[in-house]
Structures are given as structure tokens and as C-alpha cells.
Amino acid sequence: MAALTIVLAQCNFTVGDITANSARIAMCYERAVEARADLIVFSEMAITGYPPEDLVLRERFRQTAMDAVNQLAALTTQGPAILMGGLWCESDMLYNAAFLIEGGHIVTRQHKHHLPNYGVFDEKRLFAKGPMHEPIRWRGIQLGILICEDMWEADVAGHLKSRGAELLISINASPYEMGKAKQRHAVGVQRTHETSLPLIYVNQVGGQDELVFDGRSFVLSRQGDVCVGLGAFEEDFAVTRWQKEQTGWVCEMGKDAPHLSDEETIYRALVLGLRDFVHKNGFTDVVLGMSGGIDSALSAAVAVDALGSDQVLAVMMPSPFTSQDSLEDAAECCKRLNVRLDTISIEAAMKAFDAMLTPLFGEPPSGVTAENIQPRLRGSVLMAISNKEGLLLLTTGNKSEMSVGYATLYGDMCGGYSVLKDIYKTTVYKIARWRNLRKEVIPERILTKPPTAELKPNQTDQDSLPSYEVLDAILLRLVEYQQSVEEVVAERFDRATVQRVARLLFGAEYKRRQAPPGVKITGMSFGRDRRYPITSGWRG
């Protein structure tokens, strides 16, 4: 009876850091040698990190990436084979490629057949389409290789099966969004049912700008059952054992990853996305403004879990409109998180602006003008601290606010990264309550009091907006489902309210273009997925 040992290496690669990525591959390879493996499988574009975007258009980058593949081949003179992704140039064409390496050289190379060109993907602009894959004969076995999108279409796996493939291996760089893990699993099961072949699925993990890769690699039997499941949002390494039986190759049952609730899944994505953005961009510490509200409290909790309390500085910047409750709640939250809290009043700066602008206006600033001066003063204070101390400034706004423009340019939108950028307000509360189940770090009053910007006396968000339950329900339909106003109204929403939200949504595009990057959670994140013109007469 034939046997195989195949290692799944779920790694966190950094886009563009070919040296570090190669070192990580080499380190995992040594572990595979110790496990007496026959083959170790890495993710799509492991050498370059994914997505490399326009770096692939630079000739030196392409050559360095290809050289790295050949250098890694030297590891395999006596040990297991390597299957991994990278890029390859051939006849002036650039390909997203998979390499099978053994015996000190590249045994074979296959090019991605289906190039995704939707949402966050634009591979058709960068890569040439490869031919339909043929099975790779390796140690007497016919391997069917799929490169990410090739698994999502039935034709490649079907062709490989018809040509004699015995085992499907899919290397991936599939970013996280809500519901994506179930979708991947369902597609994998569909391929196994169509081909009656087992499937190895290896995904990368880690944060890359706004994308977060959740890993969750797996092995499916020919019947579609999970034999092995790797962890979510963490590097993982699994040694799988295979036996050749009369019906084909069978994987021994191994570990499976624990089930995560929706709230925990989102929270872990936020933590990983922030941690990798900070560290991969050369920062160690962050600063954020604390308001005594839910958004800054949750952002601070994520930052502490991502980086450690010593790496987080919180700043309270009260005005004459800041309530005592807000001062107390911000202080209590920071105390529970063990975060340093500094307090800098902006009252003197507000008076200075009144004095500066009164000669021009004929009177002190008032209305929205006066209100927006306050977050802009706070933004200036936070950026001064960022510049002086070398800290990355986190913004704390949520998707509900950004959808309707309830945010101030060069004020509370000021910063380098936005933790809650793709999180609706109602979801913010759900995640905060989930985090408090571990340890109550967010005071209950923050979770129950009416949200307010405190830019004028007795102000609440609902003075300007519908309740967040209604607002988020409408935005979910306008943004995520891309419904028209009429379709939303047909679901028994007030027409005037829907029309107003739609006007605000389309009118705030210029603000969103200037917002910092942030963790992508949904399938219709601003900037990455939903790309609308700023200048447009269309209002839905």
C-alpha cells in the first residue's frame, strides 16, 4: 500500500519582502524535513506575498522573485518536494504561477488559468492567462494543481480529473470577508463531489493593507468531509498522512480548527489586520483619541489585543461640550485596558480660532463651521503627537458614519489606519459586547448611553441621523446588496428616510476617497470593492 506525508504550511508573508518570505519558506521546509514529509505545500504567490499589485510591473522585482524560486530549489536536493506560488515571466508575458520543486530544480511550472477581475482582484490587468492545467506526474502520482480562482470554476478540476488526476491541490490567497470561509468550504465540497477526488486547500494568513487573510486551510476527502482543518487568523503547520487504497488516496483524520462565532471572527480579523499593518509598516506603537464613546473604546481594545497595552497611547481632548460622563467613561476604559491616557483640552484653541476668524466672518464661527473646527483641532493635536513620538495615528470612525458622511475631513478622519472602517455601528456594539465576555474592558455606560459627537450642547447622533438600527438596515441594502431606493422602500422602509440616506451616501464619496485605509470585513468595502465616481449626477 502506497503512502504519502504532505505538509500544509499556512504562512504570513509580506508583500515585496522576498528575502523574508524565502526565509520563512526555508524555515518551514526544515520542519517538513524533520517530519519526513514527501511534499510541503505553500500558498499562492508565497514568494512575493499577495497581492503584489503593480510591484510586478517592475523588472527588478520580477527578476528577484524568479531568482528566489531557483535559490529555494537548492533546498530540495535530498528532502521533500515543494509546491508553492510565485510569478514567472516567459516570452514577455507575466504569469501567476505554481512551482513544483524537487531534486534541486523546478520540476514543472503551471500558470493560473482563471484570473479574477472583480472586487479586490485585478489580475487580468497584471497577468496573462495560462492554458488549461494538465496533471503533474510526481513520484508515480498524478497531481491536479489549482491556483486559487481555478478552484472556484468547475472546468479546471473537471479537466484534471478527465486527464487522470488522483489528488487535487489548491494553493490560495483568499482574503477574509464575512461568510467567506463557508463559501470556500462549499466550493471545495462541490469540486470533490464533481471529481470524486480528495482536495488539499492551502490559504495564506495575515494582514496586507486593508485585506486580511484568515488562513483556515483544510483537507477534504473525496466525499467532501473535512479530514484536517487549520487555524483561523494564525500561522499553522499540519502534517497529513495519506494512504493509497482501491478507491484512491485517503487522508487520515487529523486536527480540526474550533468553530468561531461571527463576533469573534470579525474581532480576530480586526486584531490581525491592525497588528500586521503596524508591524509591517515599521511602527511599534499607536495613538488614538478617546471620546468616552463606543467607537474609540472598541478601537482601543482592538489595539491593546493587537499590540499590547504598553504600545497604545490614548488622548482625551475635551471641549466645553464634553460631558462629565464622557470624561469618566474614557478614563475607566483606559484603566481597564491598562492604557496610558493623556488629557489635552482644546478650549484655548477654540477661543483662538474664534479670535482669528471673527474679523473675516464678522462674528465668531457658529453652526457646522464651529462644530467642525473642534474635530480638526483634535486631529491636529493627535498628528502632532504622532509626529513627535513616531506613533501611528488610528482613526476610530465606523462604516455607518463614513457611509453618510457623518465625519469631518482633516478632523476625526485624520490618521494612518482605521480599525472600524468597514464595521457598521450596530455591529460595533455586538463586537464590543462579545469582547466584554472575555473581560469587561468597555464600561457598560459606554454601551448603553446615546452616541454623541458632543460638538454642541445636548447633541446626539440621532439629531442628524435615523436610529442606527434603521440607518444600518437601509445601508445594508443600498451598499452591500446594491439595491435601488425603490427596492429598499418596497421592504417597508419610509421613502423619505431612504431617499435622504441615499443622497447622503452618494454625496459623501469625496470624503471616503480621502479616508485612511482600514480592515476589510464585508464584501462591499469602500475603496476596495465599492468604487463610485465622486462627480456623478446619479442618486439611485
Side-chain angles (χ1 to χ4, degrees):
M1 181 182 294
L4 274 178
T5 299
I6 301 177
V7 167
L8 281 58
Q10 180 174 288
C11 297
N12 187 339
F13 296 112
T14 299
V15 166
D17 198 342
I18 294 171
T19 300
N21 294 341
S22 297
R24 195 172 231 93
I25 290 169
M27 180 180 66
C28 289
Y29 187 81
E30 289 302 312
R31 292 181 64 185
V33 170
E34 293 172 4
R36 299 183 181 275
D38 298 292
L39 174 68
I40 180 169
V41 183
F42 295 94
S43 55
E44 178 185 18
M45 284 282 180
I47 286 290
T48 63
Y50 189 91
E53 302 189 85
D54 284 8
L55 285 175
V56 302
L57 302 179
R58 303 180 72 89
E59 182 178 353
R60 185 176 179 185
F61 180 82
R62 296 196 299 264
Q63 190 60 54
T64 302
M66 290 189 290
D67 289 345
V69 177
N70 287 312
Q71 290 161 9
L72 285 167
L75 297 175
T76 66
T77 53
Q78 294 183 331
I82 296 175
L83 177 64
M84 67 179 184
L87 61 82
W88 198 258
C89 290
E90 187 176 295
S91 301
D92 294 326
M93 304 294 280
L94 181 62
Y95 295 97
N96 180 336
F99 305 93
L100 182 64
I101 305 170
E102 188 175 39
H105 64 278
I106 300 172
V107 174
T108 191
R109 183 180 67 250
Q110 288 193 337
H111 302 149
K112 193 171 183 176
H113 182 67
H114 288 292
L115 301 177
N117 209 56
Y118 55 86
V120 303
F121 306 105
D122 58 355
E123 290 197 19
K124 288 184 179 179
R125 187 174 69 86
L126 300 172
F127 300 111
K129 179 179 181 177
M132 181 62 74
H133 296 186
E134 296 294 334
I136 298 172
R137 189 160 187 82
W138 169 76
R139 299 191 183 184
I141 309 161
Q142 296 277 58
L143 299 178
I145 308 303
L146 309 167
I147 306 175
C148 205
E149 193 75 8
D150 294 333
M151 188 190 79
W152 292 77
E153 303 290 339
D155 57 343
V156 180
H159 178 79
L160 288 166
K161 167 67 174 180
S162 70
R163 303 287 284 188
E166 301 172 72
L167 172 62
L168 299 176
I169 305 178
S170 180
I171 61 172
N172 301 264
S174 179
Y176 165 77
E177 63 187 50
M178 291 186 292
K180 190 67 171 291
K182 292 180 180 178
Q183 191 178 5
R184 289 191 209 112
H185 178 262
V187 171
V189 169
Q190 191 174 355
R191 297 292 90 87
T192 63
H193 287 172
E194 292 164 352
T195 62
S196 295
L197 296 176
L199 170 70
I200 295 173
Y201 178 97
V202 177
N203 193 24
Q204 77 173 37
V205 70
Q208 171 57 34
D209 293 346
E210 294 184 288
L211 302 182
V212 179
F213 296 87
D214 52 327
R216 296 202 261 205
S217 307
F218 55 79
V219 176
L220 298 179
S221 71
R222 58 194 296 270
Q223 293 84 15
D225 299 320
V226 176
C227 302
V228 176
L230 277 65
F233 304 104
E234 62 185 13
E235 290 191 298
D236 208 349
F237 186 92
V239 179
T240 65
R241 312 287 183 184
W242 296 75
Q243 299 288 335
K244 179 69 176 292
E245 299 180 356
Q246 287 185 347
T247 56
W249 285 97
V250 176
C251 181
E252 291 181 6
M253 299 300 292
K255 68 173 183 177
D256 196 5
H259 173 74
L260 305 179
S261 67
D262 291 343
E263 291 80 10
E264 181 175 3
T265 302
I266 294 171
Y267 193 84
R268 291 184 64 177
L270 298 178
V271 168
L272 179 58
L274 175 59
R275 179 190 298 132
D276 275 4
F277 189 87
V278 170
H279 291 163
K280 291 181 179 181
N281 283 287
F283 291 93
T284 58
D285 296 30
V286 298
V287 59
L288 77 163
M290 289 294 284
S291 67
I294 183 63
D295 295 327
S296 59
L298 181 59
S299 296
V302 171
V304 167
D305 289 340
L307 307 169
S309 58
D310 290 343
Q311 276 63 54
V312 180
L313 171 62
V315 184
M316 186 73 182
M317 295 161 286
S319 78
F321 308 118
T322 302
S323 68
Q324 186 63 32
D325 284 358
S326 293
L327 293 170
E328 293 173 358
D329 292 342
E332 179 62 23
C333 185
C334 288
K335 179 181 177 182
R336 295 183 186 187
L337 289 168
N338 195 30
V339 164
R340 173 183 154 194
L341 176 64
D342 289 343
T343 300
I344 303 174
S345 172
I346 63 168
E347 187 171 0
M350 291 170 64
K351 292 178 180 178
F353 262 72
D354 286 350
M356 290 163 55
L357 293 173
T358 295
L360 177 64
F361 292 171
E363 59 181 2
S366 61
V368 173
T369 303
E371 291 179 31
N372 283 344
I373 285 173
Q374 297 169 59
R376 289 183 177 129
L377 289 172
R378 292 182 173 117
S380 294
V381 169
L382 291 168
M383 279 307 305
I385 294 170
S386 172
N387 293 157
K388 176 67 167 61
E389 304 296 337
L391 311 179
L392 177 69
L393 173 56
L394 304 183
T395 61
T396 60
N398 60 67
K399 190 171 186 176
S400 303
E401 295 169 347
M402 289 306 305
S403 294
V404 295
Y406 194 68
T408 304
L409 274 174
Y410 326 119
D412 52 331
M413 291 176 61
C414 183
Y417 202 67
S418 176
V419 178
L420 307 181
K421 181 178 182 178
D422 202 25
I423 310 290
Y424 289 108
K425 186 78 167 189
T426 49
T427 305
V428 168
Y429 282 102
K430 291 177 182 177
I431 299 170
R433 289 200 177 277
W434 174 85
R435 177 60 181 83
N436 269 5
L437 293 175
R438 287 170 46 192
K439 181 182 178 182
E440 194 171 292
V441 294
I442 299 174
E444 182 64 20
R445 189 164 61 185
I446 289 179
L447 293 164
T448 57
K449 66 184 180 184
T452 172
E454 293 191 323
L455 301 177
K456 62 182 180 179
N458 302 315
Q459 181 184 37
T460 69
D461 291 1
Q462 268 56 69
D463 295 339
S464 306
L465 301 171
S467 72
Y468 280 114
E469 288 75 13
V470 172
L471 177 63
D472 286 358
I474 293 172
L475 289 173
L476 190 71
R477 289 159 174 80
L478 292 175
V479 177
E480 310 302 326
Y481 305 156
Q482 301 186 69
Q483 291 182 355
S484 67
V485 167
E486 292 301 323
E487 288 173 320
V488 179
V489 171
E491 294 191 35
R492 300 185 179 180
F493 288 89
D494 176 69
R495 178 179 294 276
T497 302
V498 175
Q499 289 175 330
R500 177 167 172 258
V501 171
R503 284 196 300 271
L504 292 171
L505 172 66
F506 284 102
E509 188 61 42
Y510 77 101
K511 286 189 177 182
R512 291 190 290 270
R513 289 287 185 94
Q514 300 178 70
V519 184
K520 169 181 157 59
I521 296 297
T522 71
M524 197 54 64
S525 63
F526 292 125
R528 275 290 188 174
D529 299 293
R530 187 185 186 277
R531 308 176 191 179
Y532 275 70
I534 296 173
T535 306
S536 171
W538 177 254
R539 289 296 181 268

